Each structure stands twice: as structure tokens, then as C-alpha cells.
Amino acid sequence: MAQFGELSIIATAVITLAASILCLWKKEDRYVDAARRLFASAALMGTVAAIVLVFLLVTHDYRVTYVRGYADRTMSLGFLVTALWGGQQGSLMFWAVLQSWFAAAMAFWLHTKDRDVFRTSMGVMGAIAIFFWLLVLTQSNPFTLNGEDPLTSFGMNPLLRNPYMVFHPPTLFIGFAGFSVPLSVAIGVLATGKIESDWLSALRPWVLFAFIFLSIGNILGMVWAYEELGWGGYWGWDPVENASLMPWFTATALVHSMMAERRWGIFRRWNLSLIVVTYLLTLFGTFLTRSGVIQSVHAFSEATEGPYLLGAIIAVLVGYIYLLSIRFKALAPNQTYDTWSKQWMFEVTNWLFVVSVLFVGIATMWPLFVEVFKNEKATVTPAFFNKWMVPIGLTLFATIGACTLLPGGKSSLSGERKKQLLMQVGALTGLAVVSGWLVGQRPSLGGAMSVAPAIAAGLAVFVAGALLIQIRKSYLGGNIVRLGGQLVHLSVVLMYIGFTGGGLVSERQANMGRGEFMYIDDAKVTFMGLRTDVNHEREAVFADLEVAYKDGHVQVVSPARYLYHSHPKQPTSEVTILTNPARDHFFILGETEFRKNRAVIKVLVNPLVFWIWVGGVLLVIGTLLAMRKGGLRELLEMNRTLRRQIVPLGIGMVVGGGVLSVGILWHGVSGGVVFLGALALVVAFWMAARSVMPPSASPQKDEN
């Protein structure tokens, strides 16, 4: 079965190579149509490879090294499927499958655009997919056999056995792979020189689609860290966390910059550069994870594909710089704009995001630089990141309010509009000052950071007020797209409110015996004792705590420590969180003395965290609304050619189901998967051959 999975990878790479060659070397429509079908066939074959790996994981085929390393018999079915992207080799193959699917989707949704740009773009897209499949095949093959049939396995890392990890990696990978579509089109536009084509409007839904999944992935990662890692925070400036944050920064700048080009014809150079840099940053993050150059709970230190990823980054960057240099004049903006106009603030925002990326990237790599050039060990603490990123973040936050209030284009406001704007700014500034004063200075944070919560609170009130004024106008005017964008900005306000709470955290820790208690915030925490629980998967120690609030509400919580049978040297902390809009009470179980019925209990009060998660949900909702016009509708709209594929696709699904059933009856589930894969391979080449064959001459009717 593993050999069939490996054959599927080879077939996918070969089919993708054939499709790319047809796109780049043949201009005739029939060859381009053949390439489109080949891309669809490659996506199908890649999916077969993924299905085979899932089958091996679910059936515990420990002859396969990857299965032995990431699947044990104590894991539930859901986590066994999750193991597809829970390990080094499987996650890279999952990304490769997504690349093939995005190539197929691009082939069918964008083929009606300019033919030359489409052909070149699909050639680039195919090259990206081939690169990933070759990496999987040569450096990270999940179907490698270990030469024996062991009875035991290691199983997936206990930290990854969390419901959020079912969705966090796939959403990130969808976002990463999704940005390959804008990259391919950007290279295609520059290579062909067709700068004035309508590719910007065609790319907008793809950019928003990738952006929303990248955002969801980062938010789910924050929730996972908050609930699973047990240290009380949601962002620790871990190198791999930073690796997914940097492309989000440039993607956010790209979303704004594309809107500016669509409305005012500016920022073409910015847009193309941000597209390329965003995808390269996704590769750079993967390089950090898979090169062994950094230490992280997320990293795969034994991976070998790092040098190849670095080579790909350099190759794409050099190629883009060359293409940009020869098209630089043609990309000049169509109009100018005033300082302090909305357009000017858009450019300021772009530069702030670029500065953020540069700082985070350099700080993340700094320990490596020090080790290479000075042969010394160095660490960059979260406090250092916060010291510099908090001011940058607050400045970005302020630009939201400025962009909301400033006029677009040339600054020409009527007297009445100027008066109204000054009144709004004055009122909002007054409210902001009062809010900052109420929060006050926090000397415990030290230095300039002591006033950061007050500044953030004042900015939150100012920006929220400005946004609510504009949201009301958009709602009454029925402008759903603009309303969506404003809701996204409002979500950022809510998240900043939550981030402000990070400067107001308090905590208490005590070694407690049965009946002993401590006070924190408005709660009395009483230790009721320890208890154990053992099942087929793990051993657990729970600490039962009675939490009595001043309002009379009483609740029992039970933080725990787990020790999985498959990882006896890796205990995990299972926290308990009581949450409300004002604050979270975060309970952590530390060291235990079971014979004495004593334990170290740590309780944190994390103010306003609730609003980070509310802001994350609102960000997704707002982005979906912003995609409504010229975005989601365009992405989901089926063109005539695609509609013609629906009936054959339905027939193919029925035939495939029949073949799968015959295979299962003949040789079990493995036989069914092999039969289905063989059918997919035959259909792939049949579709390509049928498209390449010249059309037969139609008989002409006798007009007499």
C-alpha cells in the first residue's frame, strides 16, 4: 500500500510537469485545455496519495516509518486523521496536495482572462507544485518503509492532541498555498508585460481567500497556545509563531494596497512586491521550521529540506527583481496624492507593516546570526519583542483612525465638512484622553511601557468612535463591501483591547494542602485535594479547586497534568479557564506531592482576553462581507466551461464509487484504494490525450 502511495506522488509530479510544459511551450488552445485537465488530474492523484497515507495511519501500518512515528493505538480516529498534517513528512505532502488543488482551481477559474498571461502564470504555478512534490519524494517521503513490522509506535506529540490542532495547521497551509496564485499571476503579468490587463480584479478574491485562512490559522494557533501550553499567554514570540505572523503582516498590507490601486490607480509596484514577498515569507517560515536553525515546540529539527527552500526563495526573489527592473517605468502610478490624504496614510501603513516584518524577522534570526558570526549563544526574549513591537503596533493602530477620518484624493473639503470633521476629532480626542487617564500608568511594566496600556485604551476609544460613525453611514447607505472592511477594522480595535489586558496581568502561586485557600482578584480559591484518572491513552492527576466569588457564585475547577503512555517523559499541563468579558481566571497545576495531598497551584488573572477571540470572529465575518462584491461571488461563480464539467464529474464520482466498492469486496479497503487510484491515473491520461487530439472535421451540409 505504501508503494502505491509513493507511485501516486510520482504520477502527480509527472502529470504536473506535463501540464506546465504544455502551458509554456504550446500556444494553441487545445494544448492549453489539455494542460488545464492535466492540472485537475494531478490534483486528483495528489488526493489519492493523501488518502493512502490516511488509510495507513488509521490501520496502524507500523511498517511505514511515518505511521510509527505519529500514530499509536490509543489515539482516536479524529487524531489519527489529523496526523496527516501533524508530522514533518505528512504536513509537507499536505501542502503539496493543496498546491495541486490551487493549480487546478486556477486553471478552471482564470482561463478566460488574457491567454498569454494565463499560460505563463499556469507554468509558474505548475513549477511551484512540482517543487513541492519533488521535495516530498526526495527529502520528506511519508511512505518510507522501516524494514520491519514493529508492534509499538510513538504516536503524535501530546501537545498536538488538541481539538484546535485539527484545524490550525490546515487553515495555515491553505493560506500559505493560496498566495501562490497571486504570485504566479504577478510573475505572469511581469513576464508578458501586459501591465494594463484586468488581472487585479481577478486576483482580489484569491488574495482575500488566502488572507482569511491565514488569519484563521493564526487565531486558532493563539487559542491552542493559550489552552495547551499552560503558561498563561497566547503569543510568546516563538520563532515559528513569528514565521506565520510575518506573511500575515504583508498580506494585510496587500489587501489595503490593492484597494488603493482599484480606487485610485496607485501602488502597482507595492502590490506586485507585496504579493511576491508574502509568498516568499511563507516559504521562509517553512525554512525556519524545517532547517533546524531555530529551536521551537513547532519545529522539525530532523528535516532536510531547508536548503532547497532557501534556494527556492533566492531563485524567486532574483527572478522577480529582474522582471521588476525591466517593467519598472510601466508600473508608474496613474495619479499623485497629497500628504496627509487617505492615500498617503495607506502608504504609511504599508511602510509600517514592512518595518514590522523586518524587525520580527531580524529579531527571530538574531540568535542564529550571533552564533554564526561570534560563536556565542544569544536569546531574544518576549520582553524585547514587546519593547519594540508595542510602539509600532500602536502607531499602526493610530493609522486606522486617521484613514477612517481623512478624505481620499486631493484634500478639498467644504467648509461644513471641515467643521463637522473637526468636531468629530475633538470629541473623540476628549474621550480618548479620559479613557487613557482612567487606565493610568503601570509602573510595574517599566520605562516607556508603563504608559502603553493608557495609550492603547485612548486609541481604542478614538478609533472605535471613528469607525462606528462610518459603519452607520455604510449600513444606512447599503454599502456591504465597505461595511465589511470597517468591521474588520473594528475587530482590530477589539483585539487591541484584549492585547491591552496583557499589561494588566496579575498572578498568585502557592503550595497548598487540603482545605487551604488563597485570595486573588475577587475570588477565594480553596484546594480540595488531588485525584487520579487512568485510561488507555494516559495517566492524569487532577487538582480540585473551589472558586468562590464575592457575588456568591461558587464553581469547582480541576486543572490537571497528563502523562501519555506513548510519551512517558513528556508531561503536559491541562489548564482550566473561567472566562468572562472582563477577565479570565487561569488555573495551572504545578508540582504535586500525592502522598501528602499537596500541590503547587498557580492562578493568573488575564484581563480582557475574551475580546481577542471576539475580534478574531468579527475579522472573519468582516472579510467575508468585503468579499461579497467582486470577491466571493466571483470566486464561486462558475463559467460556462466549468458548468459543462458538472455532469461528467457526477458520472465519474458514481463510477469511482463503484470501482471502490469492487476493490473493497475483492481485497478489502486497501484493494479499493488501489483500484480507485489506478482508475484516477487512467482517467488523467485519457483526459489529456482527448484534449490534445486535433478536432475532427465536421461534415459540411450540401446547401443545394
Side-chain angles (χ1 to χ4, degrees):
M1 195 66 175
Q3 292 87 342
F4 181 72
E6 194 166 14
L7 177 63
S8 300
I9 293 176
I10 296 172
T12 305
V14 171
I15 294 171
T16 306
L17 177 62
S20 302
I21 291 173
L22 284 177
C23 279
L24 294 174
W25 284 6
K26 297 291 185 180
K27 294 185 178 181
E28 293 89 340
D29 286 349
R30 59 193 177 98
Y31 288 107
V32 176
D33 289 339
R36 290 171 50 229
R37 287 169 172 79
L38 281 175
F39 278 118
S41 303
L44 180 61
M45 287 306 304
T47 305
V48 169
I51 292 173
V52 170
L53 183 56
V54 170
F55 173 78
L56 294 172
L57 289 165
V58 171
T59 57
H60 306 287
D61 192 338
Y62 296 148
R63 294 170 299 177
V64 180
T65 303
Y66 184 81
V67 176
R68 190 187 181 199
Y70 294 98
D72 68 66
R73 298 186 186 279
T74 66
M75 292 167 57
S76 65
L77 177 62
F79 284 132
L80 287 171
V81 175
T82 302
L84 170 65
W85 52 76
Q88 173 200 335
Q89 296 88 351
S91 59
L92 189 66
M93 191 182 78
F94 182 71
W95 190 343
V97 172
L98 290 174
Q99 285 293 162
S100 291
W101 274 107
F102 272 106
M106 181 177 169
F108 278 91
W109 261 274
L110 297 180
H111 76 99
T112 57
K113 305 297 181 181
D114 183 277
R115 207 62 164 177
D116 290 334
V117 177
F118 173 75
R119 287 176 47 254
T120 307
S121 301
M122 287 309 306
V124 175
M125 193 69 174
I128 295 172
I130 293 168
F131 170 74
F132 273 93
W133 283 113
L134 289 179
L135 270 187
V136 171
L137 191 61
T138 61
Q139 302 298 318
S140 190
N141 192 337
F143 297 109
T144 301
L145 299 175
N146 54 34
E148 54 182 328
D149 189 8
L151 299 177
T152 59
S153 65
F154 303 105
M156 195 161 58
N157 188 323
L159 291 174
L160 304 182
R161 302 186 192 190
N162 180 286
Y164 291 107
M165 290 304 293
V166 175
F167 304 102
H168 163 56
T171 50
L172 270 185
F173 285 134
I174 291 172
F176 289 169
F179 278 108
S180 62
V181 176
L183 171 78
S184 301
V185 173
I187 299 298
V189 168
L190 288 173
T192 58
K194 298 193 174 181
I195 309 298
E196 300 297 335
S197 58
D198 62 343
W199 281 100
L200 177 67
S201 60
L203 278 183
R204 181 173 178 269
W206 296 88
V207 170
L208 290 175
F209 181 84
F211 171 77
I212 197 171
F213 274 95
L214 187 58
S215 301
I216 293 171
N218 276 299
I219 293 168
L220 290 177
M222 292 168 66
V223 179
W224 169 76
Y226 191 56
E227 293 196 357
E228 187 63 33
L229 296 186
W231 60 280
Y234 41 79
W235 196 270
W237 296 106
D238 178 272
V240 179
E241 290 177 343
N242 297 343
S244 64
L245 178 65
M246 289 188 288
W248 187 85
F249 279 150
T250 54
T252 306
L254 175 61
V255 170
H256 291 82
S257 198
M258 288 183 70
M259 182 179 72
E261 181 179 350
R262 189 171 57 136
R263 291 176 63 180
W264 301 302
I266 57 177
F267 297 162
R268 285 184 178 178
R269 295 165 183 162
W270 268 108
N271 289 336
L272 290 170
S273 299
L274 288 170
I275 285 172
V276 174
V277 170
T278 298
Y279 190 72
L280 290 184
L281 285 173
T282 67
L283 295 182
F284 178 69
T286 310
F287 164 76
L288 288 180
T289 309
R290 298 173 181 272
S291 61
V293 299
I294 52 95
Q295 298 298 317
S296 168
V297 68
H298 312 270
F300 302 113
S301 57
E302 72 279 8
T304 60
E305 55 265 31
Y308 301 95
L309 290 164
L310 187 60
I313 293 171
I314 294 172
V316 174
L317 186 59
V318 170
Y320 170 69
I321 292 174
Y322 168 73
L323 290 173
L324 182 64
S325 65
I326 62 177
R327 309 292 184 196
F328 193 78
K329 291 184 179 180
L331 294 169
N334 293 335
Q335 59 175 278
T336 59
Y337 47 86
D338 294 336
T339 304
W340 296 108
S341 65
K342 191 186 291 286
Q343 293 92 323
W344 183 79
M345 289 304 301
F346 271 53
E347 185 172 7
V348 170
T349 302
N350 282 354
W351 280 114
L352 286 171
F353 278 119
V354 169
V355 170
S356 300
V357 169
L358 289 174
F359 171 76
V360 173
I362 292 172
T364 300
M365 298 294 291
W366 189 253
L368 177 64
F369 296 151
V370 172
E371 185 174 358
V372 170
F373 294 108
K374 299 183 68 175
N375 198 27
E376 297 176 1
K377 295 290 184 181
T379 58
V380 179
T381 64
F384 179 80
F385 279 99
N386 290 331
K387 178 181 178 180
W388 293 98
M389 282 305 298
V390 167
I392 295 173
L394 291 176
T395 307
L396 272 168
F397 195 20
T399 62
I400 297 178
C403 286
T404 302
L405 294 175
L406 286 173
K410 302 289 183 180
S411 301
S412 56
L413 293 176
S414 64
E416 185 64 28
R417 180 69 183 95
K418 284 183 179 179
K419 181 179 178 181
Q420 184 182 25
L421 181 60
L422 288 174
M423 290 177 61
Q424 291 174 353
V425 171
L428 292 173
T429 302
L431 289 173
V433 171
V434 172
S435 300
W437 177 77
L438 290 174
V439 172
Q441 191 174 5
R442 302 286 168 169
S444 60
L445 297 177
M449 289 293 292
S450 62
V451 298
I455 295 174
L459 284 174
V461 171
F462 184 94
V463 176
L467 283 170
L468 289 173
I469 293 171
Q470 298 302 319
I471 286 172
R472 179 177 178 273
K473 291 181 180 179
S474 298
Y475 177 75
L476 294 177
N479 193 332
I480 301 300
V481 174
R482 181 170 294 179
L483 176 64
Q486 290 160 350
L487 288 178
V488 169
H489 289 134
L490 184 61
S491 77
V492 175
V493 174
L494 296 179
M495 296 178 81
Y496 264 88
I497 291 173
F499 298 151
T500 302
L504 311 174
V505 174
S506 60
E507 66 176 72
R508 285 204 62 183
Q509 179 174 305
N511 190 326
M512 305 177 71
R514 186 165 186 167
E516 296 179 356
F517 59 86
M518 62 178 171
Y519 290 97
I520 185 168
D521 198 25
D522 62 341
K524 176 184 177 182
V525 181
T526 303
F527 181 66
M528 301 170 63
L530 296 171
R531 58 185 172 86
T532 61
D533 179 72
V534 180
N535 61 25
H536 69 285
E537 185 178 16
R538 47 84 183 144
E539 300 175 8
V541 177
F542 293 89
D544 294 325
L545 307 173
E546 181 186 78
V547 185
Y549 293 98
K550 291 181 179 179
D551 62 2
H553 178 70
V554 179
Q555 191 165 348
V556 175
V557 298
S558 302
R561 292 178 70 84
Y562 285 1
L563 192 65
Y564 286 84
H565 302 314
S566 58
H567 293 74
K569 296 182 180 180
Q570 190 178 344
T572 64
S573 179
E574 304 298 322
V575 303
T576 302
I577 305 170
L578 298 180
T579 187
N580 66 37
R583 52 94 189 109
D584 283 5
H585 280 163
F586 195 95
F587 300 89
I588 307 169
L589 173 61
E591 297 298 322
T592 60
E593 298 178 81
F594 202 81
R595 291 183 179 179
K596 297 181 180 181
N597 206 8
R598 298 188 66 87
V600 175
I601 303 297
K602 185 176 182 179
V603 184
L604 290 87
V605 180
N606 291 335
L608 307 174
V609 174
F610 172 84
W611 296 105
I612 297 176
W613 318 135
V614 174
V617 173
L618 187 60
L619 185 148
V620 175
I621 294 172
T623 307
L624 288 173
L625 289 176
M627 290 177 70
R628 179 176 174 181
K629 182 180 179 181
L632 186 64
R633 185 179 301 170
E634 180 178 330
L635 192 61
L636 297 179
E637 182 180 306
M638 291 187 298
N639 56 52
R640 185 178 305 172
T641 304
L642 189 58
R643 285 198 296 268
R644 287 203 301 263
Q645 308 297 324
I646 295 297
V647 173
L649 180 62
I651 296 174
M653 291 177 66
V654 173
V655 173
V659 170
L660 179 64
S661 302
V662 171
I664 291 174
L665 292 174
W666 175 68
H667 203 270
V669 177
S670 60
V673 174
V674 171
F675 269 45
L676 187 60
L679 175 65
L681 191 60
V682 171
V683 170
F685 285 105
W686 175 77
M687 289 173 62
R690 181 173 174 269
S691 299
V692 173
M693 288 189 299
S696 57
S698 301
Q700 297 182 357
K701 295 182 180 180
D702 187 357
E703 296 182 0
N704 296 324

